[in-house]
Amino acid sequence: MPEQTQTLTLSISRDGAGAGPLPVWKRLLDLFCILVSLPVTLPLGLAIAAYIKLTSPGPVLFRQERIGYRGQRFWCLKFRTMRVNADTSCHREHLKSLLKSDAPMVKLDLKGDPRLIRGGAFLRATGLDELPQLINVLRGEMSLVGPRPCLPYEYEQYDDWARQRCEAVPGLTGLWQVSGKNHTTFRRMIELDIQYARTKSLWLDLWIMAKTFSALAAQVRETRAAVRTPASSSPARPAVPAANGAAKAA
């Protein structure tokens, strides 16, 4: 295993040397897709913003510091899906358990969370809460395809092997997201992200984009099934809502 890890590190160093955070083809693909989708994403984003403003007191956007390319910090944007001043400490504990175990990365809010605003679960399941991250893409802080940007305290717990996932610019969707996502382990997520960092190409990005729609549809079905399960399986016992931090575990 140490020899494989060392070989992987050297491969990434060679592939990324002099390439910069975003290859030209990747930057052009991001800008082209944003431009083409603008007639849909702009009205949709404005509608979501209006809905949040009308149904929940507080800001429309949620801003959170994340770790990007090679450890660089940036402010990641999302539509706010939680009530203002919601407790987020449980996300750290959940992360620690994922790092130490080989359990599937089930989202903390899969079975509901009272801290979510009305409609927040739908926005999270469909990924629409991440629509403002197109601004991060325009800034060059993110790409449409890449590893998910981790939180600073998550990055601090990575070893040298895991930090290799940051050799690619973070994205809205990625190889891990279309390869089982919450049914995979934390280590498998890291492996897939490193694999993407080593092998990213135009065709791989296009394939991941195409697979994202079916992956999101499966996530919506899974969320709806999980919400219905407590009420149907044990009606006499109230369901205990699973906690989640400001950021999704996935």
Side-chain angles (χ1 to χ4, degrees):
M1 179 63 71
E3 293 181 358
Q4 293 178 349
T5 302
Q6 185 177 7
T7 302
L8 182 59
T9 304
L10 292 174
S11 298
I12 291 177
S13 298
R14 286 196 298 267
D15 294 344
L22 280 171
V24 174
W25 64 264
K26 193 168 181 59
R27 183 61 174 163
L28 292 177
L29 179 63
D30 288 344
L31 296 176
F32 174 77
C33 290
I34 290 176
L35 180 63
V36 170
S37 64
L38 200 59
V40 174
T41 56
L42 183 58
L44 181 59
L46 292 175
I48 294 173
Y51 172 80
I52 294 175
K53 195 65 178 178
L54 291 172
T55 58
S56 174
V60 169
L61 294 179
F62 175 76
R63 196 176 70 142
Q64 187 177 50
E65 191 175 37
R66 294 292 183 105
I67 300 298
Y69 180 67
R70 293 186 174 176
Q72 297 175 2
R73 298 190 176 213
F74 70 99
W75 291 104
C76 186
L77 301 174
K78 297 176 63 177
F79 281 124
R80 181 175 58 85
T81 56
M82 281 193 167
R83 304 180 191 279
V84 177
N85 297 325
D87 180 28
T88 63
S89 59
C90 52
H91 186 267
R92 289 176 181 261
E93 298 304 318
H94 180 65
L95 174 63
K96 289 180 181 179
S97 66
L98 288 175
L99 286 169
K100 296 176 181 179
S101 69
D102 201 36
M105 295 181 62
V106 178
K107 289 195 298 183
L108 280 170
D109 59 344
L110 189 60
K111 290 185 178 296
D113 190 329
R115 295 170 302 169
L116 291 175
I117 65 173
R118 186 170 56 182
F122 173 79
L123 292 176
R124 293 160 76 90
T126 57
L128 290 174
D129 63 321
E130 297 181 352
L131 202 57
Q133 288 170 27
L134 292 177
I135 298 174
N136 292 117
V137 175
L138 288 174
R139 292 175 178 170
E141 299 162 335
M142 294 181 62
S143 177
L144 293 179
V145 180
R148 70 177 183 87
C150 66
L151 294 158
Y153 61 76
E154 178 181 344
Y155 184 77
E156 290 171 1
Q157 298 185 58
Y158 286 174
D159 56 19
D160 290 339
W161 173 76
R163 290 189 178 187
Q164 293 176 86
R165 70 188 294 269
C166 296
E167 289 295 322
V169 173
L172 276 74
T173 185
L175 186 59
W176 167 67
Q177 288 90 329
V178 301
S179 302
K181 196 176 180 179
N182 299 317
H183 298 286
T184 62
T185 63
F186 189 87
R187 182 176 180 82
R188 181 56 178 161
M189 179 195 75
I190 300 295
E191 291 173 347
L192 289 168
D193 287 342
I194 293 176
Q195 179 183 339
Y196 174 80
R198 296 179 63 196
T199 62
K200 59 180 178 292
S201 67
L202 173 60
W203 302 116
L204 180 58
D205 274 26
L206 292 174
W207 180 81
I208 290 173
M209 288 181 184
K211 292 280 290 182
T212 296
F213 297 101
S214 59
L216 285 174
Q219 184 169 289
V220 171
R221 291 194 298 269
E222 182 180 343
T223 301
R224 292 179 61 184
V227 170
R228 289 196 299 264
T229 299
S232 59
S233 61
S234 55
R237 190 171 106 187
V240 179
N244 186 27
K248 288 180 281 188

